Amino acid sequence: MAEAQLFVSQDEFTCSVCLDTLTDPVSLHCGHSFCLKCLTNYWDQSQECSCPQCRHTFTTRPELNRNTLLNELIKKLKKTTLNSPPSQNYAGPGDVECDFCTGKKFIAVKSCLTCMASCCQTHLQLHYEVEAWKGHKLVDPDRNLKEKLCEKHQKSLEMFCRTDETCICLMCGVTEHDGHEKVELETVKEEKQKQLGATLSEIRRRLEKKEKKMKETRRAIEQMKLSVERVMEEHNKSFSDLVQSIEEAHKELTEMIREREKREMEKAEGVMEQLEEEIEELKRREAELKELSENNQLHFLQTLSSRCDLPADGGSLSFIVTTDFSSEILLKELSGLKRRLEKISQWKILPLTPSGREAPIFTILAPRPQRREEFLQYFCPLLLDINTAHRDLCLSKGNKKMTHEGTKTEYPDHPDRFDCWYQVLCRKALIGTRCYWEVEGSGGDVVIGVAYKGLSRKGQGLDSLFGLNGKSWCLWCSQTQYFVCHNNKWTEISTPYSTRIGVYLDWPAGSLSFYSISHTMTLLHRFNNSFTEPLYPGFGFGRNSSVTISHLTPCEH
């Protein structure tokens, strides 16, 4: 019966010298026990006799005698351990230790919420054999048992208060939480597990969606790289062929000109030889006639008739040497070719994703417009969104004019409405294209700009005012000067004032330009930014000011 109640571990009878179970145990007056052999060797190697554990020093070397009672106890413990079926391991880093073991501790196999302690396999037997402990609540090993205690009553947290959404003990249930809706922890855990399951399912769904998107993006990148390589090969070949054609045309044209030059030279040289012969003949006739005129009258008269007949004049005088080899047609063609090549060098190659396509393709965009008629090709009709307008703004002219008159308008409540700043957005979202629009401002100060949909609509913070945050870009117009602003960075523009302003958005190129419109277009400022979301045109108003969106057509000049 005594053996059955021997709930001590073999680790409690360990020699602190050899760190093993005591063999031939001897006990010192200080109360510590050691193996007879270990202690003898320890003292033989030391200059003084002291306890290896507490360092208590003995004036004379004590006589060592085996502790018979301790030796018998260790024998029984070893026998009990050998007959005990469960195997145990010592607790290591990260393991939950047994709170009942002394010395080197075993791994806990259960934690008791009643005792607020953890037990190894040996010490757990008490909860199965002692009647008073059989009703204790056992759970899996837990190193944070203190967290399961009520801080106020130091009782186990056994219930959940739905009213206050917190775990409570039984004492809390009849005091602070009396009358509240309370349930058992298991019930709440089941409910929370369902919520957790739903959350995990949503996380898994989102993960799968994003992983799919990641795969699609990687595939698109590979397709883009292949497309780039293919396009580069085609362009390299095209330009190489073009260069080769130009070189061949240059060579052939040079040869043709040289051949023409050679033929003209040969003809000219032939004419020159003929002219030299004719000149020599004429000089000879001239000399003969001069000599004849000096002879006597009889000889002169007898021979003059035969000597006055001149040789037939050849066609040498009718021959004209080509002195100008220039060709207006050729120069015009070469000039046109040069202009086309210069225009190609100004093109931008940008990746765009048209609707209905998964993989990006390459689209060649023409250079930025220069004249107003070129801008009008990108005209974008806009309408104001009444659901975003501040209640002090009045809408008219078919949602194309907004006026700040200072009188309240009975607009319905809407989450997109500006409730502090006198601002309004347009309905249309602009993305992935080029757009141009013009507005007429009048009265007081006017703000013209664009913003992401995420621009705040509530409160007086800078996150809801055009230009004072990273989600909007704008031009502030007063009667005397202009300012441009983005992310609260202001730039003053010195230029004559104009009531009409043109706005040009090149979303793919990340360009937003403001122009003053009069008899000419004057660039006020150009923002260069990499846009990541659709942009909504918008306007802000000073007292007694108004903005009208102009109705334009591509044919208007």
Side-chain angles (χ1 to χ4, degrees):
M1 187 68 179
E3 292 181 6
Q5 303 236 349
L6 189 61
F7 295 109
V8 292
S9 67
Q10 193 170 335
D11 188 55
E12 297 179 38
F13 302 99
T14 301
C15 173
S16 61
V17 177
C18 67
L19 301 179
D20 202 352
T21 304
L22 292 168
T23 303
D24 295 331
V26 293
S27 299
L28 299 178
H29 299 305
C30 60
H32 297 122
S33 300
F34 306 92
C35 299
L36 175 61
K37 184 177 180 180
C38 292
L39 186 58
T40 301
N41 291 338
Y42 179 79
W43 281 352
D44 290 343
Q45 297 175 9
S46 178
Q47 297 179 353
E48 61 180 11
C49 295
S50 62
C51 174
Q53 190 164 343
C54 67
R55 302 303 178 185
H56 175 76
T57 303
F58 302 97
T59 55
T60 59
R61 182 166 176 166
E63 181 180 357
L64 299 177
N65 297 311
R66 179 187 298 174
N67 188 326
T68 305
L69 179 61
L70 184 58
N71 189 50
E72 291 297 324
L73 184 60
I74 291 173
K75 287 181 179 180
K76 292 181 179 180
L77 176 62
K78 287 182 177 180
K79 183 177 180 181
T80 304
T81 304
L82 291 174
N83 294 332
S84 180
S87 60
Q88 300 189 78
N89 296 318
Y90 289 115
D95 294 327
V96 179
E97 297 178 344
C98 175
D99 293 319
F100 294 96
C101 290
T102 58
K104 201 168 184 180
K105 297 179 178 294
F106 285 115
I107 296 176
V109 294
K110 287 290 182 181
S111 294
C112 178
L113 297 181
T114 306
C115 301
M116 297 306 296
S118 299
C119 309
C120 65
Q121 188 66 47
T122 300
H123 292 105
L124 183 62
Q125 298 300 320
L126 291 171
H127 284 80
Y128 298 131
E129 297 175 0
V130 178
E131 193 67 28
W133 289 7
K134 287 184 179 181
H136 289 190
K137 189 171 184 179
L138 300 175
V139 296
D140 291 334
D142 192 337
R143 65 175 65 255
N144 300 315
L145 288 175
K146 290 183 179 180
E147 296 180 359
K148 295 179 171 55
L149 282 178
C150 174
E151 294 182 358
K152 184 175 183 179
H153 303 107
Q154 291 301 304
K155 300 291 184 181
S156 177
L157 299 173
E158 300 180 14
M159 294 190 300
F160 184 81
C161 176
R162 291 189 187 274
T163 306
D164 294 332
E165 287 289 320
T166 185
C167 296
I168 60 175
C169 68
L170 294 175
M171 187 65 69
C172 292
V174 296
T175 54
E176 293 91 341
H177 298 269
D178 185 31
H180 292 184
E181 182 183 359
K182 300 179 283 290
V183 294
E184 294 182 353
L185 294 180
E186 288 77 4
T187 303
V188 179
K189 183 177 180 181
E190 291 178 2
E191 296 174 357
K192 298 296 183 182
Q193 286 285 15
K194 292 180 181 179
Q195 295 179 5
L196 177 62
T199 303
L200 290 174
S201 298
E202 177 63 17
I203 290 175
R204 174 51 53 188
R205 186 189 67 80
R206 293 188 182 184
L207 279 174
E208 291 175 353
K209 184 178 180 180
K210 294 183 183 298
E211 287 171 353
K212 181 181 178 182
K213 183 65 176 178
M214 179 71 75
K215 291 180 181 178
E216 291 174 352
T217 305
R218 288 196 180 113
R219 186 166 59 250
I221 291 174
E222 293 300 322
Q223 293 176 356
M224 180 191 69
K225 290 180 178 179
L226 293 175
S227 177
V228 169
E229 292 300 324
R230 184 177 65 255
V231 170
M232 289 301 297
E233 289 178 3
E234 293 173 353
H235 287 180
N236 289 337
K237 185 178 184 305
S238 297
F239 276 94
S240 297
D241 293 345
L242 179 60
V243 171
Q244 183 179 354
S245 298
I246 293 175
E247 291 176 348
E248 290 178 355
H250 181 226
K251 180 180 179 182
E252 292 175 359
L253 182 60
T254 302
E255 292 176 352
M256 181 178 66
I257 294 175
R258 291 303 183 187
E259 183 65 28
R260 179 71 181 274
E261 177 191 24
K262 181 180 178 182
R263 292 197 303 269
E264 292 295 323
M265 283 295 296
E266 290 176 349
K267 288 169 61 178
E269 289 173 354
V271 171
M272 289 174 65
E273 289 178 2
Q274 182 180 348
L275 287 173
E276 287 177 355
E277 292 177 359
E278 292 177 355
I279 289 172
E280 290 298 326
E281 178 63 23
L282 290 174
K283 285 182 177 180
R284 187 181 62 78
R285 289 294 184 96
E286 181 184 23
E288 288 181 353
L289 291 175
K290 284 182 178 181
E291 183 182 356
L292 180 62
S293 66
E294 295 175 356
N295 291 339
N296 55 58
Q297 294 180 355
L298 180 62
H299 181 72
F300 175 77
L301 294 173
Q302 290 176 344
T303 60
L304 179 62
S305 300
S306 61
R307 298 293 179 87
C308 285
D309 296 331
L310 295 177
D313 198 359
S316 58
L317 295 178
S318 64
F319 175 76
I320 299 175
V321 178
T322 302
T323 59
D324 187 1
F325 272 69
S326 63
S327 171
E328 292 184 1
I329 296 177
L330 175 61
L331 293 176
K332 185 176 181 181
E333 290 294 331
L334 292 177
S335 178
L337 176 60
K338 182 181 178 182
R339 286 196 302 271
R340 287 192 291 273
L341 290 175
E342 289 175 348
K343 189 173 183 180
I344 290 175
S345 67
Q346 295 176 355
W347 284 347
K348 296 179 180 179
I349 301 179
L350 298 174
L352 299 177
T353 306
S355 58
R357 293 178 179 265
E358 293 185 358
I361 63 172
F362 284 87
T363 301
I364 297 178
L365 298 180
R368 182 184 295 116
Q370 301 296 326
R371 298 176 300 170
R372 187 162 178 261
E373 53 265 30
E374 294 176 352
F375 283 99
L376 291 175
Q377 296 176 4
Y378 302 102
F379 167 69
C380 176
L382 298 176
L383 293 176
L384 298 168
D385 185 359
I386 192 174
N387 290 327
T388 66
H390 189 279
R391 284 190 167 89
D392 283 2
L393 302 179
C394 180
L395 190 65
S396 60
K397 290 190 177 181
N399 291 3
K400 284 185 173 292
K401 183 177 181 179
M402 187 66 78
T403 306
H404 179 202
E405 297 178 343
T407 57
K408 293 288 183 182
T409 307
E410 295 300 325
Y411 295 135
D413 292 336
H414 198 281
D416 292 340
R417 189 175 309 286
F418 290 101
D419 66 355
C420 177
W421 303 114
Y422 305 122
Q423 297 180 157
V424 64
L425 294 176
C426 291
R427 297 178 187 174
K428 191 169 185 178
L430 308 178
I431 183 173
T433 185
R434 291 177 164 190
C435 299
Y436 178 76
W437 61 96
E438 292 181 3
V439 297
E440 286 278 354
S442 63
D445 294 348
V446 169
V447 180
I448 304 168
V450 296
Y452 290 150
K453 188 174 184 179
L455 181 71
S456 176
R457 316 299 170 88
K458 310 302 179 185
Q460 300 181 1
L462 300 184
D463 57 343
S464 59
L465 190 59
F466 283 137
L468 301 189
N469 48 73
K471 296 182 179 181
S472 57
W473 298 257
C474 72
L475 172 73
W476 287 59
C477 310
S478 70
Q479 297 293 333
T480 58
Q481 59 191 144
Y482 296 106
F483 292 92
V484 290
C485 188
H486 169 62
N487 212 11
N488 207 15
K489 295 180 180 178
W490 296 78
T491 303
E492 183 177 357
I493 308 298
S494 299
T495 189
Y497 178 76
S498 173
T499 59
R500 177 170 286 223
I501 299 295
V503 185
Y504 175 65
L505 171 64
D506 189 343
W507 197 97
S511 173
L512 175 67
S513 306
F514 294 94
Y515 293 87
S516 172
I517 309 296
S518 55
H519 59 283
T520 59
M521 287 186 68
T522 302
L523 176 64
L524 299 176
H525 186 78
R526 178 177 295 116
F527 288 106
N528 293 308
N529 191 84
S530 179
F531 301 120
T532 57
E533 302 177 28
L535 290 169
Y536 292 81
F539 308 97
F541 302 84
R543 177 69 68 175
N544 297 323
S545 62
S546 68
V547 166
T548 303
I549 301 173
S550 302
H551 177 70
L552 303 173
T553 65
C555 298
E556 183 177 337
H557 290 79

